Amino acid sequence: MTDLDEYGRRARAWLEANARGLPRDADLTTAKTFMAALYDAGYSGITWPAEYGGQGLSAAEERAFQEAARDLTLPIAPFGIGLGMCGPTLISIGTEEQKRRHIRPMLRGEEIWCQMFSEPGAGSDVASLQTRAVLDGDTWVVNGQKVWTSAARLADYGLLIARTDPDVPKHQGITMFVIDMHDPGVTVRPLRDMTGDAHFNEIFFDDVRVAPDQVVGEVNGGWSAAVTTLLHERVSIGTGAARIERPASYAAMAEAARERGLPADPAVRDQLVDLYLAERAFDLFNARLAQEARAGIQPGARGSVAKLLLAELTMTGADVASEILGPDAVASEGRGSIAAALSFAPGMALGGGTNEIMRNIIGDRVLGLPREPQVDRGVPFRDLKVGTQEKEAGR
Ligand SMILES: Cc1cc2nc3c(=O)[nH]c(=O)nc-3n(C[C@H](O)[C@H](O)[C@H](O)COP(=O)(O)OP(=O)(O)OC[C@H]3O[C@@H](n4cnc5c(N)ncnc54)[C@H](O)[C@@H]3O)c2cc1C
């Protein structure tokens, strides 16, 4: 048995003893207790640097742990944004103090984090954002609104991007900050979506005072900071590290078709084959990214391929489930049910960047096709007459 086999065997034994049978919709206290136990057992932050509280191990151990946890539902959803996006961003570009202050509590589930990028008028074109941070002495004062912020209702901290210089082109005048979500002037309002849950929220900033040591990366260097977060987000969602549930898997749908005596129907067989192929393509692509990670090759923009494949796989699963299960599909209830998967599926094609934006990135950064025309290139944000500035320009 290799060391890695032994690592996987120990992880499986720990998970069997501590995670088997936990409810899918565990409450926050149960989730936090589980996260602390996961950390204390050495399975949270497996690849994160040891000096900040991670385990300092390789992608191979991470993969062995993910394999061991494959058929389990871990109650770690509230921590997904912190672990998948905010933590890796702080490790890449945060100050020493920010890393020492936040990484360990994040890994132990003591701090919940959110990511505040999208605004009512700035989603795909997030660099058009209007939330502003203005210096008052050495303190930044933030005003504006964010929207679609996952987990903000529960969050203790969040990464915010705000405009700090409107006199330069839109990508150049943005800064990233750590925001304490309990600070005066931060108002979080849950938004109920069609799953029946309030997965995301809108956030209002009214004269929120932010200390200079809460800047992440360089002042006015927030665009490259945001790209760092988004690359981590796509890899985390796309490679399954974010553990997005897919109850409409090929195995589940093939079984449901057999129970209903449907596999003889050529149309159903066709659909099942489509689902099988989408699942295989997704698994093989991710196996390749994992192998490359072991060899020290980062996925970069190819995280967008994984994210797009997962969104398409989720939608294919939802279509197949509604065909095969018919009305039974919507009769199921609760987190992890087919009904919840059906209503969450379209969100997968939007959150973390839409399918169209993923295709643009893949065309541009992976395939080397010509870039989209950019009419706002080189124009100071204040003078723009497009995007969120169109209204300001009086149109
Ligand atoms: C489940 C979920 C969770 C989310 N969580 C967060 C979060 O935690 N934090 C956060 O900041 N945001 C979050 N979002 C917001 C998400 O990032 C945005 O919804 C997304 O970036 C799209 O922005 P938009 O909704 O403003 O749509 P728009 O940008 O207005 O897009 C509308 C349509 O136009 C298309 N389109 C736009 N531009 C182009 C283009 N250049 N080429 C081709 N087509 C284009 C889009 O693909 C889309 O179909 C979440 C969204 C969802 C669904």
Side-chain angles (χ1 to χ4, degrees), residues 220-234:
N220 292 329
W223 182 250
S224 84
V227 169
T228 304
T229 310
L230 291 171
L231 286 177
H232 286 299
E233 175 171 33
R234 284 156 199 166

Side-chain angles (χ1 to χ4, degrees), residues 104-128:
R104 190 186 303 269
M106 216 184 261
L107 286 175
R108 244 187 139 252
E110 290 158 10
E111 285 181 5
I112 296 180
W113 281 65
C114 66
Q115 171 215 359
M116 298 175 281
F117 287 12
S118 306
E119 297 186 0
S124 299
D125 180 18
V126 71
S128 278

Side-chain angles (χ1 to χ4, degrees), residues 81 115-125 147-150 199-200 233 344 347-348 350-357 360 372:
I81 307 281
Q115 171 215 359
M116 298 175 281
F117 287 12
S118 306
E119 297 186 0
S124 299
D125 180 18
V147 75
W148 314 129
T149 316
S150 305
H199 174 92
F200 31 52
E233 175 171 33
F344 191 70
M348 283 302 299
L350 304 171
T354 68
N355 284 5
E356 290 75 24
I357 296 302
N360 283 351
E372 271 197 285

Side-chain angles (χ1 to χ4, degrees), residues 231 234-235 237-239 278 281-286 288-289 299-313 352 354-355 357-363 365-367:
L231 286 177
R234 284 156 199 166
V235 171
I237 296 177
T239 58
F282 176 69
D283 284 347
L284 289 172
F285 187 78
N286 276 315
R288 179 173 167 174
L289 288 190
R302 286 172 313 146
S304 295
V305 179
K307 158 76 199 356
L308 177 63
L309 284 173
L310 178 62
E312 297 209 319
L313 171 56
T354 68
N355 284 5
I357 296 302
M358 293 306 102
R359 288 196 170 91
N360 283 351
I361 292 172
I362 294 164
R365 310 273 159 76
V366 182
L367 302 175

Side-chain angles (χ1 to χ4, degrees), residues 54-69:
Q55 297 301 316
L57 298 173
S58 74
E61 279 85 6
E62 175 73 48
R63 176 109 182 134
F65 178 81
Q66 294 297 342
E67 273 305 313

